[in-house]
Amino acid sequence: MNDSTPGPRTFAERLQAGHFAITAEIAPPASCDAGDLRRKAEKLVGIADAVNVTDGAGARASMSALAAATILHGMGIEPILQLTCRDRNRLALQGDLMGAAALAIRNLLLLTGDDPKAGDQHDTKPVLDVHSRNLIETARRLRDDGTLPTGRKVGGKAGFFIGAADLPIDPPAGWQPKGLLGKVHAGAQFAQTQFCMDAAIVRRYIGALDAAGITKQLATLIG
């Protein structure tokens, strides 16, 4: 008997239903031409469940992540918008979150950002007015309460699916994932990790997250 019930369609629905998901990543080009981004992204249509759009990766200037995510959305690619605290104060970050919601960008990966000394303009000053955990909490408040951290009401609806980053490690005895747990408490619903090519380490890392109760609250995608 065929099951005619449609499966999860969006990235959030897949993860919330416990399905396996595949994401890819695109670094927007250093370009003023949307076509340059589209040519990079077109091969991913229908392949990845969602595509991360980096925000000044490697501390180098590129096309705006919010603009790039909007272009991908228009191509039928579900974007995961990365926003870094490195480049903006809280006012600018809050403005970008509201802009993302207005442009129907749902998935967020909220990050501190790479040190500017890793990039190609070493005199760049990092902002870091807030850190990633604060930004996760701000996105959650916008979504759930319709307010900014000051309590000021915001119009419209922010249907965010909020992500955090983590680093998979081989956990030593007694290790607790306090940083990731703090992000979960702030409002993170999924995590994407840095690369790990050792399946045994991944199993022990996920086991430690499970022991801390994180896997019941957070979908984890291993890089």
Side-chain angles (χ1 to χ4, degrees), residues 146-165:
T147 65
L148 296 172
T150 59
R152 178 183 168 199
K153 292 293 291 183
V154 171
K157 180 68 177 173
F160 294 141
F161 187 51
I162 302 170

Side-chain angles (χ1 to χ4, degrees), residues 108-111 132 136 162-166 180 183-184 188-193 218-219:
L108 305 173
L109 187 69
L110 304 177
L111 309 164
S132 58
I136 289 168
I162 302 170
D166 199 41
L180 187 56
K183 293 175 183 179
V184 171
Q189 297 163 281
F190 72 96
Q192 292 177 296
T193 78
L218 186 84

Side-chain angles (χ1 to χ4, degrees), residues 105-182:
I105 305 300
R106 182 178 187 193
N107 307 311
L108 305 173
L109 187 69
L110 304 177
L111 309 164
T112 297
D114 298 321
D115 189 325
K117 290 184 172 53
D120 57 356
Q121 299 184 59
H122 297 164
D123 291 337
T124 301
K125 293 179 174 58
V127 178
L128 297 178
D129 181 31
V130 296
H131 289 270
S132 58
R133 182 172 169 179
N134 309 121
L135 189 55
I136 289 168
E137 170 67 18
T138 297
R140 186 204 61 75
R141 288 190 62 160
L142 273 172
R143 183 195 64 204
D144 295 348
D145 305 331
T147 65
L148 296 172
T150 59
R152 178 183 168 199
K153 292 293 291 183
V154 171
K157 180 68 177 173
F160 294 141
F161 187 51
I162 302 170
D166 199 41
L167 176 66
I169 66 167
D170 198 353
W175 178 78
Q176 292 292 319
K178 293 179 181 178
L180 187 56
L181 194 58

